[in-house]
Amino acid sequence: MGTLASRRTLGTALLLAPLTCLADSSFEVYGFGMVDYVQAFDRPNPDWVGALRPSRIPTNASSVGSDGQATLSVRQSRLGVNSSTMAGDSELTTKFEFDMYGVGPDEGQTTIRLRHAYGEWKSILAGQTNSVFMDGDVFPNVIDYWGPSGMVFLRNPQIRWTPVQGDQTVAVAIETPGSGVDNGLDPNTTAGDNEYPDLTAHFRQVGDWGHFQVAGILRQVGYDTPGAPDGSPDDSELGWGVNLTTTINLLEKDRLILGVVHGDGISNYMNDGGVDMAPDGNAIDPDYQVVPLTGLISYYEHAWNDRYSSAIGYSSTEIDNTDFQGPDAFNKGEYASTNLLYSPNDKVMMGVEYLFGKRTANDGDKGYDRRVQFSVKYSFSSGNLL
């Protein structure tokens, strides 16, 4: 047995150890409460009254009702937690974040939607966050939830390696695949088939002038026939894409946003519009092909003073329809907006925004969604709780 003095020294060390760990750690709760009042002048898809999404605009407006629709929504409200702690000789960071905007089977609902859930240690990130093919910095300062259609925007489960970090960044990842297949006029019922993960990479250069990013993707886009013997007919094609984006700082606080993306079978990564694969040919031989897509975004952000700012711009997504797609298949989606935002401090934002959306179908029919949105947002942050 040790002496009383040595036992006291050991006890003091054990008590101080947790305090030392806490000193190397941080935990923050953050988020905001937000309400959107949308006054639509046309009649939008009932599940998309709260956000402008061109691919969901009906080309036959009478199918959803008469013009004019109002809604108030809290679905943009958000809650998240950040943590940081030392793991060995390096920092381990984690993020978990969700909002209340239902999509997919929850379209039109106010329900929990996961945004981020990941950890990062040294050069390895694992979990769900922004795709490596995406550039989050080109999302303009708009209050519409969905945002411009013609940019890559997908938060995707992934394993990412970032061997170069700093003003120059190089990142490579494998990401969960997803093949959006349009059956078109094919009498068979086909579904996406995802045998391998998508491979994504980007190079990013940051400076006082702004930033530039070039990103690429390679993926297998496939389909099969559920319920048929061996899933046949089935097939797959190579999908690929290149995404070029930049932001340029102008004047004192202004910013120009530009982006162009092009590829085959990449609609799964777009913010809106298109399919990855669709049938070509005819009913006897519906030869499925990857669908070419081009997306554009151009926005300008201007600070009138320390409290007032505006963003104005245009974006589009356009695909090259195959011969055997239906007449109402998506061909082009256009999105434009302008706003005036007021931020009296870093916790409060109020703003009004005019939005214009247009959908063109494969047969040339067009649908429109014109609306005004007024939003109020109250933000909070706990700071370091440890």
Side-chain angles (χ1 to χ4, degrees):
M1 294 181 64
T3 64
L4 178 61
S6 65
R7 291 199 298 273
R8 284 176 175 171
T9 301
L10 177 60
T12 301
L14 291 173
L15 287 172
L16 289 176
L19 296 177
T20 302
C21 292
L22 289 175
D24 292 335
S25 303
S26 65
F27 185 82
E28 175 194 22
V29 179
Y30 65 91
F32 54 79
M34 185 169 179
V35 65
D36 302 321
Y37 162 46
V38 174
Q39 184 64 56
F41 303 119
D42 302 287
R43 185 63 181 262
N45 182 317
D47 291 332
W48 291 94
V49 179
L52 176 54
R53 192 172 179 186
S55 69
R56 300 299 194 267
I57 298 174
T59 52
N60 180 9
S62 62
S63 65
V64 292
S66 58
D67 287 348
Q69 197 75 178
T71 188
L72 278 83
S73 168
V74 297
R75 285 180 281 174
Q76 285 209 62
S77 299
R78 187 181 305 176
L79 182 65
V81 293
N82 288 323
S83 74
S84 172
T85 189
M86 293 302 296
D89 60 352
S90 299
E91 182 182 32
L92 169 64
T93 61
T94 62
K95 178 187 284 285
F96 182 86
E97 180 183 292
F98 64 88
D99 60 27
M100 306 300 295
Y101 214 102
V103 297
D106 295 322
E107 282 187 358
Q109 304 300 310
T110 302
T111 187
I112 291 175
R113 180 195 188 202
L114 181 66
R115 292 169 56 89
H116 300 278
Y118 69 89
E120 187 172 15
W121 182 69
K122 293 189 175 181
S123 61
I124 302 298
L125 179 149
Q128 175 172 306
T129 189
N130 295 349
S131 168
V132 170
F133 190 45
M134 162 186 165
D135 183 355
D137 285 337
V138 300
F139 198 108
N141 194 20
V142 297
I143 54 177
D144 170 51
Y145 177 79
W146 208 256
S149 58
M151 60 183 178
V152 174
F153 193 89
L154 178 67
R155 289 180 287 267
N156 212 17
Q158 62 193 265
I159 300 173
R160 179 191 301 182
W161 178 45
T162 310
V164 179
Q165 301 184 52
D167 290 344
Q168 293 183 334
T169 301
V170 175
V172 181
I174 56 171
E175 306 192 22
T176 191
S179 297
V181 181
D182 179 7
N183 294 323
L185 302 177
D186 184 358
N188 296 310
T189 300
T190 59
D193 185 25
N194 307 299
E195 295 187 25
Y196 304 104
D198 297 341
L199 177 63
T200 57
H202 75 226
F203 169 79
R204 182 182 182 91
Q205 176 71 57
V206 178
D208 293 337
W209 54 272
H211 88 281
F212 169 77
Q213 179 173 300
V214 54
I217 184 171
L218 288 174
R219 58 195 310 253
Q220 183 190 63
V221 183
Y223 81 98
D224 59 15
T225 308
D230 302 323
S232 299
D234 64 330
D235 199 0
S236 64
E237 298 281 342
L238 177 67
W240 65 273
V242 176
N243 186 25
L244 304 175
T245 52
T246 186
T247 60
I248 302 171
N249 299 326
L250 301 170
L251 304 178
E252 293 185 4
K253 297 182 179 180
D254 288 12
R255 190 171 72 135
L256 176 64
I257 297 170
L258 298 171
V260 57
V261 56
H262 180 75
D264 292 345
I266 59 170
S267 71
N268 185 59
Y269 283 79
M270 297 301 295
N271 196 35
D272 184 52
V275 292
D276 297 307
M277 198 172 217
D280 208 2
N282 52 56
I284 298 175
D285 181 22
D287 182 23
Y288 280 74
Q289 301 289 332
V290 286
V291 179
L293 178 149
T294 301
L296 303 170
I297 181 172
S298 177
Y299 262 78
Y300 189 84
E301 297 177 345
H302 173 66
W304 301 101
N305 53 43
D306 291 340
R307 296 187 177 184
Y308 288 92
S309 65
S310 294
I312 184 171
Y314 169 84
S315 182
S316 69
T317 303
E318 185 170 10
I319 71 170
D320 185 5
N321 294 106
T322 61
D323 292 339
F324 210 44
Q325 284 189 268
D328 192 49
F330 175 90
N331 172 254
K332 185 176 184 179
E334 297 175 80
Y335 179 108
S337 68
T338 184
N339 62 27
L340 178 63
L341 309 181
Y342 171 61
S343 301
N345 53 62
D346 61 354
K347 299 293 190 294
V348 176
M349 187 281 296
M350 303 177 185
V352 62
E353 187 165 83
Y354 173 77
L355 297 118
F356 171 87
K358 178 181 176 182
R359 178 181 184 269
T360 303
N362 188 24
D363 62 1
D365 283 354
K366 297 175 175 58
Y368 299 89
D369 187 346
R370 291 157 287 206
R371 58 176 63 193
V372 172
Q373 177 172 329
F374 175 75
S375 298
V376 179
K377 181 172 78 171
Y378 297 134
S379 303
F380 67 88
S381 173
S382 67
N384 186 5
L385 294 176
L386 298 180

